[in-house]
Amino acid sequence: WGGISVKDSGSLTAKNCVLRHGGNNLSVTGMATVENCILEGARDYGIYTTQSTAGTDIRNCTVVGGKNGIRVNNAGAGALQVAGTEIRECSDAGLYIASLGSGVFGVAGNEISQCGTYPVYMNLGGLVSGFELGMVNSNQFRGNTIINRVALGGTVATDVTIPAGSYACACTRA
């Protein structure tokens, strides 16, 4: 099956649920609040959010497997919050941020482990407005194949503030 899809004008509130073995267990272009859910065994992504204008809020979930636990391809104004969530056993990055729009963004208090590359990968070339990397904080990374750090890549085309810390970086300036 393809999983659950929340379209542009749609909204979903999912609490205490289990989603298994979808193409993407949950795809969001509308608004979604996901709390205390288990998403596992997706063919592609546990949660895929793209072009959202409304926002996605993921709290206290467990995401297991897939290429990425959570993949963000969002150039819209929608917010993305991921907190208290465990992401593990993905074949690529646990959280992959291909592009990010102007909405509020926060990734804090999560545990990302045993993924095939990085716990978090951010394509800085996909940012459409100024960004402070400090919005990705207080997470625990362990057992990821390449490195247990936030990985930064892409060609930077906007202002990006990167706080003191240790990153895997392959960036250029446009």
Side-chain angles (χ1 to χ4, degrees), residues 115-128:
C115 291
T117 59
Y118 311 102
V120 177
Y121 176 85
M122 294 186 72
N123 173 17
L124 298 180
L127 302 178
V128 298

Side-chain angles (χ1 to χ4, degrees), residues 35-128:
E35 294 181 27
N36 301 311
C37 290
I38 298 170
L39 300 100
E40 61 187 8
R43 182 185 64 241
D44 294 319
Y45 315 117
I47 299 173
Y48 180 59
T49 177
T50 181
Q51 305 302 336
S52 176
T53 57
T56 304
D57 189 6
I58 303 161
R59 299 200 181 271
N60 304 314
C61 292
T62 300
V63 182
V64 181
K67 292 177 186 171
N68 306 120
I70 301 172
R71 184 175 176 100
V72 179
N73 188 18
N74 186 4
L80 173 69
Q81 300 288 325
V82 182
T85 293
E86 177 188 8
I87 302 170
R88 61 184 161 84
E89 299 171 21
C90 304
S91 63
D92 194 16
L95 172 60
Y96 188 101
I97 301 165
S99 64
L100 192 62
S102 59
V104 175
F105 174 75
V107 176
N110 303 290
E111 181 177 319
I112 305 174
S113 64
Q114 301 169 356
C115 291
T117 59
Y118 311 102
V120 177
Y121 176 85
M122 294 186 72
N123 173 17
L124 298 180
L127 302 178
V128 298

Side-chain angles (χ1 to χ4, degrees), residues 137-154:
N137 59 48
S138 302
N139 298 288
Q140 295 180 9
F141 307 140
R142 61 181 173 75
N144 298 289
T145 302
I146 293 180
I147 199 164
N148 285 310
R149 295 184 185 136
V150 174
L152 308 174

